[in-house]
Amino acid sequence: QKEVEQNSGPLSVPEGAIASLNCTYSDRGSQSFFWYRQYSGKSPELIMSIYSNGDKEDGRFTAQLNKASQYVSLLIRDSQPSDSATYLCSHTGANSKLTFGKGITLSVRP
Amino acid sequence: DTEVTQTPKHLVMGMTNKKSLKCEQHMGHRAMYWYKQKAKKPPELMFVYSYEKLSINESVPSRFSPECPNSSLLNLHLHALQPEDSALYLCASSQDGGGGNEFADTQYFGPGTRLTVL
């Protein structure tokens, strides 16, 4: 079964710290990788997408992809209380079907 | 603009009712999706439409009936639902449903419809 594993949470970090969210996947055919943020009671919001090995930065967010090791991570620098949410790791294969991890809840302490 | 709209925001229905959920996007996307999400779980794919044709049905019970009238609209018709069908129903769209690159695969979600079945 093609699965996405996210490190167990919840994760709690102090305001201003770096939050590191990690994810591994089993499908070597996975092509595109996405991090979604979901606030309680709301729909998933795209935070980052990454397709190639290496790092991709957007503001305080950096996505890292290593296809050889089959992991993808999300770093949030200068974490803010507003970053407190559930983060969903996901990827697509050849048919664009999104496979989600279970999600990890991040709490940023003021 | 990456907006997907969904109506209604909330829906309460009895087990004998017939209702419909609606989804709309004007991004020129050719793939549209229905997901079901229960509390504290990730979204669960139900249906995929690619170029207005149903391409994936994840063995969803027939009491859920999808419809894609045109490339911008997606409906989900509901009939004889069970209380366990109560959930957040999410619509999403992407440039293309065929896969192959980050841009085409990126899915944008609507705000969802919170469904309660009594």
Side-chain angles (χ1 to χ4, degrees), chain A residues 79-95:
Chain A
S79 295
Q80 301 297 308
S82 58
D83 295 325
S84 298
T86 296
Y87 289 80
L88 296 162
C89 172
S90 62
H91 69 81
T92 58
N95 63 1

Side-chain angles (χ1 to χ4, degrees), chain A residues 58-69:
Chain A
D58 183 2
R60 296 186 296 112
F61 299 95
T62 299
Q64 300 174 318
L65 175 61
N66 184 321
K67 290 189 177 182
S69 300

Side-chain angles (χ1 to χ4, degrees), chain A residues 11 14 30 33 43 75-76 93 100 107 109:
Chain A
L11 177 66
S30 300
F33 299 83
S43 66
L75 299 178
I76 306 175
F100 286 95
S107 175
R109 310 186 300 271

Side-chain angles (χ1 to χ4, degrees), chain A residues 31-32 34 36 38 41-44 46 49-52 56 88 92-98 100-102, chain B residues 33 35 37 42-43 45 56 58 88 90 96-102 105-112 114:
Chain A
Q31 298 179 338
S32 304
F34 306 91
Y36 288 88
Q38 188 170 24
K42 302 294 185 181
S43 66
L46 181 70
S49 61
I50 187 165
Y51 188 75
S52 303
K56 180 180 179 183
L88 296 162
T92 58
N95 63 1
S96 278
K97 198 170 150 180
L98 258 185
F100 286 95
K102 292 182 179 180
Chain B
Y33 310 78
Y35 290 86
Q37 188 176 27
L45 182 66
I56 296 177
E58 292 287 279
L88 180 67
L90 297 163
D96 195 297
N101 68 73
E102 176 186 356
D105 287 350
T106 301
Q107 291 186 26
Y108 299 93
F109 285 84
R114 177 72 60 187

